Amino acid sequence: MEISSYFQNATIDELKKGYIDEQDSYLCLLCGEQIEKGIIYPQDGTLYEAEKFMQRHIKDAHQSVFHYLLSLDKKMTGLTEHQTKLLELFYLGKSDEEVKKELAIGSASTIRHHRFALKEKERQARNFLAIMELMKEKDNHAPSFVPVHKTATMVDDRYNITEEEQDSITAKYFKDGVLSKFPIKQKQKLIVLREISKYLEEQESYSEKELNQLLKTIYDDYVLIRRYLIEYGFLDRKADGSLYWLKK
């Protein structure tokens, strides 16, 4: 299962922790890092059991689960830019007066209004979650949708992809790991790029030459594929193009 699927299916408690407890390891929901159980991990002169080491990993690699979730695209959180800034300042323990000064907001009553609006949003979200859980108990015809990858740059209707659609398009365009042609339709393009991203190792960085060689085994126009992998948020690179890696 892809890390996006784990993230999508995680419970609220698992999301708050940022990792899930598997049989033999702990899996970071934010980047896919796995910490094997039964091993003592030394770092900076301290010995950590597996779960404590996973918590240390989240702090070192992601600052906090809160900051990671807050950094997601607004279509993933439903938050405006202003609400995101407010939540971060509240999380940091800033007083209403400090928030007012930092964001140049007119009065303390405006801050209280924003706090009330966020609480309303929380109540609505809880009610909606309950409604969806109850609906799923009765809806036997809902298709299984492919989770949106967390690093997506443009979340819109093209991400409305069922597992059946993904399997069908993948079978149509790939044969023995080789892409027959690059599709024109946006949804099909996304499915093809998602499949190509699976050929890249999550923990590795690639030089441009290494990446080109790998992509060339999949499709002749490797420059086109490389460009779209970056554009759709699957791939990141250094500004000078010397290194490329899968975004987490």
Side-chain angles (χ1 to χ4, degrees):
M1 189 185 294
E2 296 180 25
I3 185 60
S4 293
S5 298
Y6 283 109
F7 187 88
Q8 188 88 0
N9 295 315
T11 65
I12 295 295
D13 285 340
E14 287 170 339
L15 282 176
K16 285 170 62 178
K17 290 193 301 182
Y19 61 91
I20 57 174
D21 186 346
E22 297 195 296
Q23 184 174 353
D24 300 315
S25 63
Y26 294 100
L27 174 71
C28 178
L29 289 168
L30 315 185
C31 69
E33 179 76 17
Q34 283 189 294
I35 305 297
E36 188 177 345
K37 294 179 180 178
I39 296 177
I40 300 299
Y41 296 87
Q43 185 167 332
D44 299 334
T46 302
L47 300 177
Y48 295 91
E49 293 181 344
E51 187 167 15
K52 289 291 185 182
F53 194 63
M54 173 56 76
Q55 294 166 359
R56 172 69 186 262
H57 158 76
I58 288 174
K59 182 179 179 181
D60 291 346
H62 307 291
Q63 187 177 357
S64 71
V65 177
F66 178 89
H67 285 94
Y68 179 87
L69 294 174
L70 209 60
S71 72
L72 294 174
D73 185 274
K74 63 182 180 181
K75 289 197 175 182
M76 299 280 283
T77 64
L79 297 168
T80 65
E81 185 177 346
H82 188 62
Q83 288 172 330
T84 298
K85 290 178 180 176
L86 283 166
L87 283 166
E88 182 172 20
L89 292 174
F90 294 152
Y91 179 80
L92 293 173
K94 301 286 186 179
S95 67
D96 287 4
E97 189 63 30
E98 289 171 319
V99 173
K100 186 180 75 170
K101 289 180 181 177
E102 191 149 345
L103 296 183
I105 293 174
S107 65
S109 64
T110 304
I111 303 294
R112 289 195 296 272
H113 172 75
H114 284 304
R115 286 187 182 274
F116 178 79
L118 288 168
K119 290 297 292 183
E120 281 296 291
K121 196 175 185 70
E122 179 189 17
R123 281 189 283 270
Q124 291 168 354
R126 291 179 65 182
N127 291 337
F128 181 70
L129 280 174
I131 290 168
M132 289 298 293
E133 288 297 319
L134 291 167
M135 181 272 293
K136 284 188 286 187
E137 293 175 5
K138 300 293 185 179
D139 184 5
N140 298 318
H141 305 287
S144 296
F145 289 95
V146 177
V148 176
H149 61 283
K150 302 195 304 299
T151 56
T153 53
M154 304 167 286
V155 181
D156 51 31
D157 286 345
R158 81 190 79 179
Y159 287 86
N160 179 15
I161 300 170
T162 66
E163 291 181 358
E164 184 178 357
E165 284 179 299
Q166 178 171 267
D167 292 343
S168 174
I169 296 301
T170 300
K172 176 181 178 181
Y173 284 97
F174 287 90
K175 184 176 182 180
D176 298 326
V178 177
L179 180 64
S180 59
K181 67 176 181 178
F182 194 65
I184 296 174
K185 292 183 178 180
Q186 294 298 315
K187 183 181 287 191
Q188 294 178 350
K189 192 178 294 183
L190 174 60
I191 292 171
V192 163
L193 292 168
R194 179 183 281 126
E195 183 66 19
I196 292 174
S197 72
K198 295 177 183 178
Y199 290 82
L200 301 172
E201 297 291 335
E202 288 189 3
Q203 307 302 329
E204 286 191 21
S205 295
Y206 298 87
S207 68
E208 184 172 292
K209 182 179 179 180
E210 290 171 335
L211 180 63
N212 290 345
Q213 287 175 336
L214 190 155
L215 295 179
K216 198 184 296 185
T217 65
I218 301 170
Y219 190 61
D220 288 340
D221 193 349
Y222 56 88
V223 175
L224 175 75
I225 300 299
R226 189 182 70 206
R227 176 166 63 84
Y228 273 112
L229 285 171
I230 293 170
E231 184 177 321
Y232 277 71
F234 290 102
L235 201 63
D236 206 349
R237 65 175 180 174
K238 283 191 172 182
D240 61 3
S242 60
L243 281 179
Y244 294 78
W245 59 90
L246 275 180
K247 292 179 75 172
K248 297 178 180 180

